[in-house]
Amino acid sequence: MSEIRATTTPPTNSPDAPELVAAMLRDADQAGASDIHLQSIPGAVTLQWRLDGVLHDRGRIEMPVAERVLGRIKYLARLRTYQETLPQDGRIPAEDAGLDCDLRVSTYPTVTGEKIVLRIFRNSSAVSLAELGLPLPTLNALQSAIAQPTGLILLTGPAGSGKSTTVHAALHELAQAGGRHLVTVEDPVETLVPGVMQTEVNEARGLTYPAAVRHLLRQDPQAIVIGEIRDAETANLAVQAALTGHLVLSTLHAGSCHGVLDRLRLLVPDPFSVAASLTLVLNQRLVRRTCTRCQGDGCSHCVRTGFHGRIPIVEHLVFTDPDRPALRQGITPPLSPDSTLAAAASRAVAAGLTTSAEILRVLGK
Ligand SMILES: [Zn+2]
């Protein structure tokens, strides 16, 4: 770190860059952007924000000011300001950014020049399950599954589909109910839940998911959150934990509720254990919510996008005792028609919460 500091010098002749960068960060933060993208092109740098998961053009900065802006960001992130041909990663502390939270900075050389992406790390705290905006049948299924003393609950959905927000909301509800020792192993911990023992994997030190789960099960937990099941060892531990008196919540990469079953059966060869442990599977997407102030016409509140915030579109599959004999034979029960992604999407559009175009963008067809 000291070597990096020693070779970093403030960009010269840039009286305008600090003010420009400060205003740029403040504007993006106030608009609720999660990321700021700066792409060098011949003669300029283009500016984009990621708002509710979607990139929006926010104009361009001409050279030579643009160069000083990139230099200023790299200076604040303690990166080598002259280094443009190799990727660099850094962080701007909240006080230097003039925001309430830190920024992660990533630079990468492209064929038209340097690209810089800044991620805004808002300090988030867990919301309650009721605040998530889940479809009512899904909310009921999830609340009833976490009220059980044991069982395996699995969530799926692509990156950025809000799975971990749902898991943390469930954890928040368990913590509020009290009486159970709640532990997590995550990679990394992004949301703090009061009353929960939250831990992180540390692959470099050998604390992998399976190693962490094995140790945490000796900490006398009643409920355990495993950030992600990536391998057979973790999958088998999760199933065994659920069969030995623990409530287990985790995520698994698959495209659908049935996909979760297929993947779990590949990872856990014993169909009896899978059939006996699973209580609920959720498959989640996030769609942008129509701005309530302008009803989608575009206003200053939604930065003219017509959308503000996001809501989950979820399908779920509940497993009860009558389902288990079929599960043991590798048969997955069908989703009830009112609990599919398509049904949840139609209800959200009918309620005016989002648009058909937004559903098409996220779910495809
Ligand atoms: Zn609006």
Side-chain angles (χ1 to χ4, degrees):
M1 199 59 189
S2 59
E3 185 204 23
I4 292 170
R5 280 171 192 277
T7 54
T8 304
T9 49
T12 51
N13 304 322
S14 54
D16 47 352
E19 291 78 15
L20 254 174
V21 169
M24 194 173 74
L25 300 182
R26 196 177 52 236
D27 288 351
D29 183 50
Q30 283 174 356
S34 59
D35 303 80
I36 303 167
H37 289 230
L38 292 155
Q39 170 71 61
S40 302
I41 57 169
V45 164
T46 60
L47 170 64
Q48 291 178 306
W49 290 348
R50 184 183 288 276
L51 275 175
D52 293 327
V54 177
L55 274 182
H56 293 275
D57 291 332
R58 298 299 299 169
R60 51 191 272 158
I61 311 164
E62 302 301 324
M63 294 295 180
V65 178
E67 199 172 349
R68 300 203 287 268
V69 164
L70 298 189
R72 172 71 182 170
I73 291 169
K74 287 156 78 175
Y75 168 69
L76 287 174
R78 275 81 162 163
L79 301 177
R80 291 174 171 83
T81 50
Y82 60 83
Q83 175 62 269
E84 291 172 14
T85 51
L86 286 175
Q88 302 187 76
D89 294 307
R91 216 173 170 94
I92 303 179
E95 56 271 28
D96 291 350
L99 306 180
D100 294 334
C101 55
D102 289 4
L103 295 170
R104 189 183 67 200
V105 180
S106 157
T107 77
Y108 204 92
T110 76
V111 291
T112 56
E114 198 163 35
K115 166 97 187 219
I116 297 187
V117 178
L118 299 103
R119 162 69 51 93
I120 302 175
F121 278 110
R122 292 198 178 77
N123 304 316
S124 55
S125 54
V127 296
S128 72
L129 278 177
E131 286 172 300
L132 287 180
L134 290 170
L136 199 59
T138 304
L139 177 65
N140 291 339
L142 185 52
Q143 282 179 324
S144 129
I146 64 170
Q148 303 301 314
T150 65
L152 175 60
I153 300 170
L154 290 175
L155 283 85
T156 195
S161 62
K163 300 183 295 280
S164 84
T165 304
T166 303
V167 169
H168 286 104
L171 206 46
H172 182 68
E173 191 138 326
L174 283 168
Q176 296 263 299
R180 288 202 245 188
H181 182 205
L182 313 171
V183 305
T184 76
V185 51
E186 304 171 66
D187 184 21
V189 172
E190 284 178 7
T191 305
L192 290 176
V193 187
V196 179
M197 171 184 162
Q198 289 177 276
T199 72
E200 291 181 335
V201 294
N202 188 332
E203 303 269 349
R205 291 185 181 166
L207 194 59
T208 58
Y209 266 118
V213 172
R214 227 178 267 286
H215 285 290
L216 284 171
L217 286 172
R218 295 183 203 121
Q219 291 274 320
D220 187 31
Q222 270 91 54
I224 179 166
V225 166
I226 304 168
E228 189 185 356
I229 293 176
R230 296 177 186 157
D231 54 84
E233 197 178 354
T234 310
N236 282 279
L237 283 166
V239 164
Q240 285 313 313
L243 291 176
T244 53
H246 306 88
L247 182 69
V248 182
L249 274 89
S250 190
T251 69
L252 186 68
H253 191 71
S256 64
C257 286
H258 281 195
V260 169
L261 265 293
D262 295 343
R263 179 99 202 279
L264 190 64
R265 286 181 177 126
L266 283 177
L267 295 170
V268 181
D270 174 18
F272 285 82
S273 301
V274 171
S277 60
L278 263 183
T279 51
L280 178 67
V281 175
L282 297 181
N283 173 29
Q284 177 166 348
R285 302 289 183 275
L286 279 181
V287 299
R288 288 177 298 164
R289 181 182 198 140
T290 303
C291 176
T292 49
R293 297 202 190 167
C294 64
Q295 266 68 45
D297 292 337
C299 67
S300 60
H301 180 62
C302 60
V303 203
R304 314 267 156 223
T305 61
F307 296 100
H308 192 77
R310 286 186 284 181
I311 50 166
I313 299 290
V314 189
E315 65 179 12
H316 71 269
L317 197 47
V318 178
F319 302 96
T320 53
D321 287 340
D323 300 316
R324 304 200 188 281
L327 271 181
R328 284 197 286 271
Q329 291 167 38
I331 299 163
T332 306
L335 270 71
S336 76
D338 71 336
S339 49
T340 62
L341 272 188
S346 301
R347 280 195 299 266
V349 173
L353 296 172
T354 190
T355 64
S356 312
E358 176 63 4
I359 295 291
L360 191 64
R361 180 186 73 82
V362 175
L363 299 187
K365 223 327 136 256

